[in-house]
Amino acid sequence: MGRGAACPFCCVRRYTCALRVAAARKKNMDLMEKLVSLCKRRGYVFPSSEIYGGLNGCWDYGPLGVELKRNIKKAWWDDMISHHDETSAPSSAPGSFGMVGLDCSILMNPTVWQASGHVGGFNDPMVDCRETKSRYRADQLVVYRLLAADSVPAPLADEELLYAAPGEVGKTAEADLIEPHRKRAESLRKKLGELRLEPVVGALSDASLRARVLAPGAKAPGSLTAPRAFNLMFKTNVGAMEDNASIAYLRPETAQGIFVNFKSVCDTARVRIPFGIGQIGKAFRNEINPRNFTFRSREFEQMEIEFFCRPEEADDWYRYWRDRRFQWYVNLGLSTDRLHLREHDRDELAHYASGCADVEYAFPFGLSELEGIANRTDFDLRQHMDVSGKDLRYFDDQEPDADKRRYLPYVIEPSAGADRAALAFLCEAYCEDEVGGEARTVLKLHPRLAPIKVAVFPLVKKDGMPERALSLYRGLRTQFHAFYDEKGAIGRRYRRQDEAGTPFCVTVDGQTADDGTVTLRERDSCEQQRLPVDAIAGFLAERMA
Ligand code: GAP
């Protein structure tokens, strides 16, 4: 590319623009590659069944990964449910409320999914490329035309080619949309001069327009099929017979298990509205295009709350949960620069929802949803009441007005993904810096989330140091996930723990025998301090809070 030439796709001088976009994209993708590689190398995440070539959209958490994910789920469960005090209103809550948990089966009576609308409506539009054999979600393909930058909008010219590229209008950088068609764009630029890109909305549903669309990697236009609805639920059969009567589904969300147990919880748990029911568990979706590491998987875990309240109070509770859930990520270390709360426009809302916001995180591959918080009105309970014929209305025996005693509550649903949260915490934590002139990779995970909380080392393997270090390690292990290591130079042992995300290392050295103190090193600052051996457990407990 000639220095100083104009960029074919915008008005910025070409070399500046292309370099800037390419550099930013490369930096982000490099970060993602490095993170995926660290996850594999250090035992965070492995491709599922890798020795047989893996299974697309499925991942296994290794020894460190499982601890990270368990810590995320524990933090969620503790903060949302078990440590919740129902006797007083948390600051900024409209009032006090109760919280209980559930653990429902993954397989349920299939009528659940008819009532919820998943059998009829849990579809993504899918298109196939007959030439490259690739499959895309139609709503994640942008179709566009390339026009001279100074041209006025005009009808499509005869034989004009359209281009399709993975992405989303308004979200994906133009340079990325151009990338699969760069060569053609270059030759067009030679004819027309500077170019601009104009999205053609609805092109895939229109047969004549679709015939002009060049798919990514395809040589000729017209290779994409019309969009077809593709149901994302995994089907299976329960029992020995494989017929229609035995069909069951792997749940695509944990929420419905909560709705169908609403009455049982009300009857047994002495809960009063407002209250929430939380659940953590696996969910399965036959995603058309699993991608971005664990971000879009076919098997994943959700952490969902269905919060039941009086309809007239639902807006206040919606705002409370939206803001509280956003803050939860901040408290656990995600920076507010990378977090974004996106309130949905009215026309984006599901037909039953009266409010919805996404907590989004700036992943290296773009700003994407971590969690959704929705006001689902009384839609789900009403559906299950209508289809099951069971009265799911709540009875408030303390309501003085008899007409208001029995009603269907509204539901506020904060719905998070444990795997997406794990990925966001890993992306945020990944850091390369220099210590004492030496490069290091460090995972700056919040101490509550770090898989190993403390590593204990003897400085050298002699003079009673291993014995003292082992005794400290054995004492700490009963309270914290601790790790003992006596092999290699002390600097290398620190580096290994930095990369694993261990926030504290404690070293027993020659001075320990004299005055009973040890060196405590903090991962992020690398600062060291001497503390009495007996003070270590208290120090750690304080820092884990
Ligand atoms: N009950 C509402 C519900 O399931 P959703 O937006 O489809 O809403 C909620 O899913 C959360 O579950 C998402 O914000 C995301 O964190 C997680 N999630 C959904 N699909 C996922 C997938 N294919 N892979 C990983 N996580 C996913």
Side-chain angles (χ1 to χ4, degrees):
M1 181 189 302
R3 239 182 104 79
C7 171
F9 318 118
C10 70
C11 342
V12 183
R13 301 302 293 168
R14 192 168 143 215
Y15 71 90
T16 329
C17 168
L19 285 181
R20 204 186 301 134
V21 172
R25 190 191 309 128
K26 183 158 183 341
K27 196 166 155 231
N28 283 339
M29 290 336 281
D30 279 357
L31 169 62
M32 209 52 216
E33 269 169 34
K34 284 179 186 172
L35 186 69
V36 172
S37 147
L38 180 137
C39 282
K40 182 137 194 248
R41 191 170 71 246
R42 295 311 313 242
Y44 269 95
V45 182
F46 307 128
S48 160
S49 46
E50 196 183 7
I51 59 168
Y52 292 105
L55 183 64
N56 199 7
C58 298
W59 299 92
D60 294 342
Y61 287 81
L64 291 183
V66 66
E67 297 292 338
L68 170 66
K69 207 166 140 190
R70 281 171 62 100
N71 291 340
I72 291 169
K73 290 186 284 181
K74 181 168 170 20
W76 185 92
W77 193 269
D78 285 350
D79 296 348
M80 299 300 124
I81 297 174
S82 41
H83 294 177
H84 174 71
D85 173 6
E86 77 286 0
T87 63
S88 71
S91 65
S92 73
S96 58
F97 58 94
M99 290 298 291
V100 293
L102 268 184
D103 184 6
C104 308
S105 60
I106 286 171
L107 297 174
M108 290 193 267
N109 186 308
T111 318
V112 169
W113 305 111
Q114 275 146 22
S116 70
H118 284 82
V119 169
F122 194 49
N123 301 317
D124 274 345
M126 174 185 82
V127 293
D128 288 309
C129 175
R130 286 180 284 250
E131 188 185 323
T132 64
K133 309 291 174 224
S134 303
R135 175 164 283 182
Y136 304 96
R137 252 175 71 172
D139 56 345
Q140 290 176 356
L141 268 188
V142 177
V143 177
Y144 61 87
R145 36 192 316 216
L146 284 173
L147 299 169
D150 50 7
S151 64
V152 284
L156 275 180
D158 288 347
E159 311 297 318
E160 185 180 333
L161 265 190
L162 302 177
Y163 305 86
E168 282 171 73
V169 177
K171 275 197 167 180
T172 311
E174 290 197 352
D176 289 332
L177 295 176
I178 297 283
E179 194 54 39
H181 306 289
R182 175 157 283 278
K183 275 195 184 151
R184 282 180 192 259
E186 279 292 331
S187 63
L188 208 56
R189 190 187 64 82
K190 283 184 189 137
K191 269 200 266 167
L192 302 179
E194 230 172 77
L195 298 176
R196 70 185 168 86
L197 179 157
E198 188 180 276
V200 183
V201 179
L204 294 175
S205 318
D206 178 314
S208 61
L209 290 179
R210 202 170 54 247
R212 297 167 170 217
V213 174
L214 194 62
K219 292 197 177 72
S223 62
L224 290 174
T225 61
R228 286 180 284 145
F230 176 77
N231 192 289
L232 300 185
M233 279 201 297
F234 279 102
K235 253 187 209 168
T236 187
N237 293 88
V238 172
M241 302 299 288
E242 285 197 16
D243 55 17
N244 280 346
S246 68
I247 287 178
Y249 301 94
L250 302 190
R251 67 180 176 200
E253 61 172 20
T254 62
Q256 298 304 323
I258 299 179
F259 293 125
V260 298
N261 278 291
F262 173 70
K263 194 169 156 38
S264 303
V265 173
C266 287
D267 291 348
T268 56
R270 301 183 64 215
V271 282
R272 289 182 48 74
I273 277 179
F275 73 92
I277 306 179
Q279 170 161 228
I280 297 179
K282 288 268 187 178
F284 303 82
R285 297 183 189 176
N286 198 1
E287 297 283 357
I288 294 170
N289 222 345
R291 64 196 165 126
N292 291 330
F293 198 22
T294 56
F295 180 83
R296 191 173 301 287
S297 307
R298 290 190 165 129
E299 176 177 343
F300 55 96
E301 261 180 297
Q302 289 188 314
M303 309 184 290
E304 295 199 290
I305 293 170
E306 306 304 325
F307 185 82
F308 302 92
C309 61
R310 295 198 76 98
E312 62 275 19
E313 293 174 357
D315 287 344
D316 290 341
W317 284 112
Y318 165 72
R319 281 189 289 275
Y320 167 70
W321 280 108
R322 180 196 62 191
D323 297 346
R324 179 166 173 205
R325 289 302 306 148
F326 182 90
Q327 190 58 36
W328 186 77
Y329 294 101
V330 178
N331 294 348
L332 287 171
L334 296 192
S335 96
T336 46
D337 294 347
R338 294 199 189 89
L339 275 173
H340 179 234
L341 190 63
R342 189 177 72 83
E343 195 76 47
H344 287 208
D345 292 334
R346 286 266 135 209
D347 59 0
E348 254 186 289
L349 294 176
H351 64 93
Y352 50 78
S354 78
C356 187
D358 288 344
V359 178
E360 297 181 326
Y361 180 73
F363 289 96
F365 44 83
L367 196 62
S368 305
E369 177 188 329
L370 260 188
E371 167 162 355
I373 300 99
N375 176 347
R376 299 180 65 100
T377 65
D378 60 6
F379 173 77
D380 305 270
L381 286 179
R382 191 173 290 285
Q383 281 294 108
H384 288 301
M385 185 159 93
D386 289 350
V387 177
S388 69
K390 303 281 183 321
D391 187 355
L392 299 183
R393 286 176 302 165
Y394 174 77
F395 181 67
D396 185 351
D397 57 2
Q398 288 173 26
E399 168 61 52
D401 181 345
D403 292 341
K404 287 188 176 171
R405 266 179 217 151
R406 209 175 272 285
Y407 64 95
L408 268 185
Y410 268 30
V411 171
I412 310 303
E413 179 193 67
S415 174
D419 307 84
R420 284 198 190 168
L423 186 58
F425 288 124
L426 283 168
C427 289
E428 180 84 30
Y430 185 94
C431 173
E432 290 169 357
D433 61 11
E434 227 184 70
V435 178
E438 231 185 90
R440 74 164 180 165
T441 304
V442 52
L443 279 185
K444 295 186 173 177
L445 289 166
H446 190 287
R448 277 182 84 189
L449 303 183
I452 301 169
K453 310 298 185 195
V454 60
V456 182
F457 311 141
L459 182 62
V460 287
K461 275 201 278 181
K462 58 182 187 183
D463 301 335
M465 290 182 214
E467 290 75 10
R468 274 183 213 100
L470 269 172
S471 153
L472 173 62
Y473 162 73
R474 287 178 183 137
L476 293 175
R477 245 199 107 73
T478 58
Q479 293 176 64
F480 310 99
H481 191 146
F483 184 80
Y484 177 77
D485 189 2
E486 57 179 28
K487 292 189 199 84
I490 191 75
R492 291 199 48 203
R493 280 182 267 167
Y494 283 146
R495 297 288 174 281
R496 275 203 292 266
Q497 293 307 316
D498 289 343
E499 217 184 46
T502 307
F504 306 105
C505 291
V506 177
T507 304
V508 169
D509 55 21
Q511 198 180 323
T512 311
D514 300 335
D515 63 7
T517 63
V518 287
T519 303
L520 183 133
R521 172 190 182 266
E522 302 209 23
R523 175 198 61 201
D524 299 352
S525 62
C526 295
E527 270 170 21
Q528 303 194 359
Q529 55 178 308
R530 284 206 84 82
L531 286 177
V533 175
D534 299 346
I536 297 292
F539 173 92
L540 293 175
E542 205 176 285
R543 301 298 289 269
M544 296 307 143

